Amino acid sequence: VVDFPAWETLPHERLSPRADTVGRRLAVLRRLCHPDPSDPSTGPISVVVAPVRSVLQPQVAGLGELEPVVLRAGETVEFDDVVRALVGIAYSRVDMVERRGEFAVRGGILDVFPPTEAHPLRVEFFGDEVEEIRSFAVADQRSLETAPHGLWAPPCRELLLTDEVRDRARALAAERPELAEILGQLADGIAVDGMEAFAPVLVDDLVLLLDVLPAHTHIVVCDPERVRTRAAELVRTSQEFLEASWAAAATGGKAPIDLGAAAYRTVADVRSRAIELALPWWSISAFSADADLDDDSVASSAHPPDPYRGDLKRAVDDFRGWLRDGWRVVVATEGHGPAQRLAEVLREEDVAARLDETLDADITPSVVHVTTGCLDTGLVSPALKLAVLTDSDLSGVRGTARDGTRMPSKRRGTIDPLTLKPGDPVVHEQHGVGRYVDLVQRTVAGATREYLVIEYAPSRRGQPGDRLYVPTDSLDQVTRYVGGESPSLDKLGGGDWAKRKGRARKAVREIAAELIRLYAARMSAPGHAFGPDTPWQRELEDAFAYVETPDQLAAIDEVKADMQAPHPMDRVICGDVGY
């Protein structure tokens, strides 16, 4: 069972999807086209779970044929060929690997951060022979444990700048001078944020997810009413972005080329495509008269359990009644500690209960099976004489959403001009500190665009301040001024801003030198080394009602490692409230 994630960006938004999202998508498509039965992580797929967003969005044809870079210890491979292959599948070469989709070369060592891995991998070559592959930590670049599965690096973009794509971009740039800046970069092999929107004119064909599924695949729509509502909202939003896309805004009117083929399809279009491919279309609906259901629909006896909201006596009475009538009863909790306590509570109430780490064996109808697992809610089926409940069904308290892989949006650094007031200080990346004046429209060379007006200090005494007009598609270069004091304005073209940045760099170097001396002294000081976790600690952690994010789990492990070290712990935990 695999997850096929959707982009966190819209098809015509001026943003490209994250490298880890693309990597996970391409890993699924590769397994669908070329499963490897010898490797469970890349073997055949039985079930693809996809949100409606990824089902509606067209994708470049042939993505499953893109070959990942695969290396294993003991293999012999041309080192330069590996580097060229990584560049060819959109990995960025950097001095030090910090993000997914990057790689670095240092002598005979190749660092790669595949989008599908939790940690980057370090490949050590001896000549052209792969000697060892280990994971390493991004924070301190130190090697961790050996990677037994080796390196498996899928592409990082769904639109690769192949020779054919670059030639098409070059030809289109000559035909459409208004898009020459964007298409010229693509023709030169330079990736541009949001370039995936140009896929309809740079590749031969776009297909749906249904087109790459094996024959006789069954399409199952869970909760079709919610799917239809969400799909209609996505299609409407996508159309709005297409009509007001950054390509259209750059030309002051209608987009000069048709990019509509990359927009979301409707549910009706997707279902028509399923009929053409002879793929059965099933729906699971809570409504008995759903529009998607036909005469062959089957009504299930299963229904959600009644919420007990902490009423243990009523829950115990139901358990006794179910066991008396020969039902099979299972209660799932999210941690071992809560499961153990629930089993003890049921036994105290004279209800037969057994703690099962796994449910591999048959479920007997004479005892309540308490186990661990992540379920949102349970079900009760009188026809099957089966009751599956969760700890949240019993307590009425729901945990947080379990999408722990969701990362912050890359929009967070962009300023919103609607939140600015005239006179607010702002900082331009190239020109320094200025004062926000207004948001205006101007027509230049026949193109009407919106501009952010920023006023700077006058170049001559007694003259009005110089003004800079920043187009709204370049707002990523403007941020709010966050200093505490009222800042002095820089001069356009002057050296004040460069001097200010130079002073800041010098101060950073001085602080870094002082920190090195401070940490050297701290590392030589003795501290108390705490012992490892006890069963009591594990039970306390299992009782935590929420699912930790990957960053929280990493912070917990690092704090425990510090506390077990013989040196004093020196760490600050900073928690963001999220959104």
Side-chain angles (χ1 to χ4, degrees):
V1 179
V2 296
D3 171 40
F4 187 73
W7 289 3
E8 61 281 345
T9 61
L10 293 171
H12 301 288
E13 201 170 3
R14 193 190 165 184
L15 292 170
S16 292
R18 292 172 51 88
D20 55 328
T21 301
V22 172
R24 289 163 56 203
R25 287 167 57 92
L26 295 184
V28 172
L29 297 176
R30 181 68 181 176
R31 290 178 64 180
L32 286 172
C33 295
H34 300 283
D36 182 6
S38 62
D39 188 351
S41 62
T42 57
I45 294 173
S46 299
V47 178
V48 177
V49 181
V52 63
R53 188 169 183 161
S54 62
V55 176
L56 302 181
Q57 182 173 356
Q59 59 195 26
V60 176
L63 292 179
E65 302 297 332
L66 299 178
E67 294 189 9
V69 173
V70 182
L71 296 175
R72 289 185 174 85
E75 290 183 344
T76 300
V77 61
E78 190 76 27
F79 186 87
D80 292 339
D81 290 346
V82 176
V83 174
R84 280 192 291 269
L86 289 171
V87 173
I89 57 176
Y91 281 74
S92 301
R93 183 166 180 172
V94 295
D95 294 330
M96 185 172 67
V97 170
E98 295 179 322
R99 297 180 178 88
R100 289 177 173 85
E102 295 180 344
F103 77 97
V105 177
R106 297 191 311 280
I109 296 178
L110 176 67
D111 290 347
V112 186
F113 202 162
T116 53
E117 295 286 348
H119 297 283
L121 298 176
R122 178 161 293 153
V123 185
E124 297 184 14
F125 282 81
F126 184 76
D128 288 334
E129 180 183 352
V130 179
E131 199 170 42
E132 187 180 43
I133 302 178
R134 303 178 68 90
S135 59
F136 67 92
V138 172
D140 55 14
Q141 300 286 305
R142 292 184 179 179
S143 295
L144 303 174
E145 66 274 2
T146 302
H149 60 282
L151 171 68
W152 196 87
C156 296
R157 284 189 181 271
E158 296 187 22
L159 178 62
L160 298 181
L161 297 178
T162 61
D163 292 339
E164 182 181 359
V165 170
R166 292 170 63 181
D167 290 342
R168 290 191 179 187
R170 188 174 295 108
L172 193 60
E175 297 174 8
R176 302 292 183 183
E178 61 271 33
L179 297 175
E181 181 181 354
I182 300 167
L183 295 173
Q185 290 179 292
L186 299 181
D188 293 337
I190 302 172
V192 178
D193 224 9
M195 69 182 191
E196 288 78 7
F198 285 91
V201 294
L202 297 179
V203 299
D204 289 329
D205 193 19
L206 297 179
V207 298
L208 294 172
L209 174 61
L210 270 60
D211 293 302
V212 300
L213 296 176
H216 311 299
T217 298
H218 286 64
I219 312 300
V220 181
V221 183
C222 299
D223 202 340
E225 183 59 36
R226 289 181 62 189
V227 166
R228 278 197 298 271
T229 303
R230 177 63 174 150
E233 176 188 342
L234 285 170
V235 171
R236 183 175 62 254
T237 306
S238 173
Q239 186 61 30
E240 291 173 355
F241 264 82
L242 176 59
E243 293 172 355
S245 65
W246 52 286
T251 57
K254 185 178 180 182
I257 53 177
D258 182 15
L259 302 178
Y264 290 124
R265 301 290 188 266
T266 64
V267 173
D269 293 337
V270 176
R271 185 163 187 184
S272 297
R273 184 58 182 160
I275 294 173
E276 294 175 11
L277 298 172
L279 301 180
W281 185 284
W282 293 3
S283 295
I284 299 177
S285 174
F287 303 101
S288 59
D290 194 278
D292 275 353
L293 300 181
D294 52 30
D295 294 337
D296 296 329
S297 61
V298 177
S300 170
S301 67
H303 60 83
D306 294 332
Y308 293 98
R309 295 187 177 88
D311 189 348
L312 183 62
K313 181 180 182 304
R314 186 159 63 91
V316 168
D317 291 341
D318 285 345
F319 287 154
R320 290 196 183 110
W322 287 332
L323 295 180
R324 185 172 56 249
D325 296 338
W327 283 44
R328 292 170 295 167
V329 183
V330 176
V331 182
T333 70
E334 292 188 0
H336 176 81
Q340 193 171 26
R341 282 191 293 278
L342 180 59
E344 293 172 355
V345 168
L346 292 177
R347 293 192 200 105
E348 291 173 359
E349 297 291 335
D350 294 328
V351 175
R354 186 170 74 199
L355 180 62
D356 293 317
E357 292 292 341
T358 60
L359 289 177
D360 296 334
D362 292 336
I363 302 173
T364 58
S366 58
V367 63
V368 175
H369 297 261
V370 183
T371 187
T372 57
C374 291
L375 296 174
D376 286 332
T377 186
L379 62 91
V380 176
S381 174
L384 298 176
K385 289 192 173 182
L386 173 67
V388 179
L389 284 81
T390 67
D391 48 357
S392 56
D393 292 328
L394 298 176
S395 64
V397 178
R398 300 288 177 188
T400 57
R402 295 183 178 84
D403 185 11
T405 61
R406 186 77 181 186
M407 298 296 180
S409 168
K410 62 174 75 175
R411 300 181 188 81
R412 62 181 179 179
T414 304
I415 195 169
D416 183 1
L418 299 180
T419 63
L420 292 174
K421 298 188 296 292
D424 284 351
V426 294
V427 182
H428 191 281
E429 187 176 325
Q430 305 297 329
H431 304 289
V433 180
R435 183 182 296 111
Y436 169 71
V437 178
D438 198 4
L439 188 66
V440 300
Q441 274 193 347
R442 297 184 71 185
T443 301
V444 180
T448 302
R449 305 167 70 182
E450 286 191 327
Y451 292 85
L452 200 73
V453 183
I454 303 177
E455 186 177 71
Y456 287 87
S459 55
R460 294 182 180 180
R461 185 174 299 177
Q463 297 294 321
D466 295 332
R467 292 193 171 188
L468 176 69
Y469 290 79
V470 181
T472 52
D473 56 358
S474 298
L475 287 182
D476 52 346
Q477 298 189 33
V478 182
T479 56
R480 279 183 178 274
Y481 178 81
V482 294
E485 74 284 354
S486 179
S488 59
L489 303 186
D490 293 318
K491 292 182 180 180
L492 275 179
D496 296 346
W497 179 236
K499 292 178 182 177
R500 195 180 306 196
K501 289 195 290 186
R503 290 195 298 269
R505 292 192 187 99
K506 181 180 178 181
V508 168
R509 286 194 294 268
E510 293 174 352
I511 293 173
E514 180 61 29
L515 284 175
I516 291 173
R517 291 191 291 269
L518 176 63
Y519 273 81
R522 286 178 174 174
M523 291 302 293
S524 62
H528 177 75
F530 289 86
D533 288 350
T534 64
W536 294 98
Q537 173 80 12
R538 178 188 175 193
E539 184 170 342
L540 174 66
E541 292 178 354
D542 285 341
F544 185 58
Y546 303 94
V547 180
E548 297 90 342
T549 66
D551 287 344
Q552 289 171 342
L553 290 173
I556 292 170
D557 292 338
E558 291 168 2
V559 168
K560 289 181 177 179
D562 282 355
M563 294 179 69
Q564 294 175 30
H567 307 291
M569 181 167 71
D570 181 23
R571 182 179 294 274
V572 175
I573 300 297
C574 180
D576 189 353
V577 297
Y579 47 84

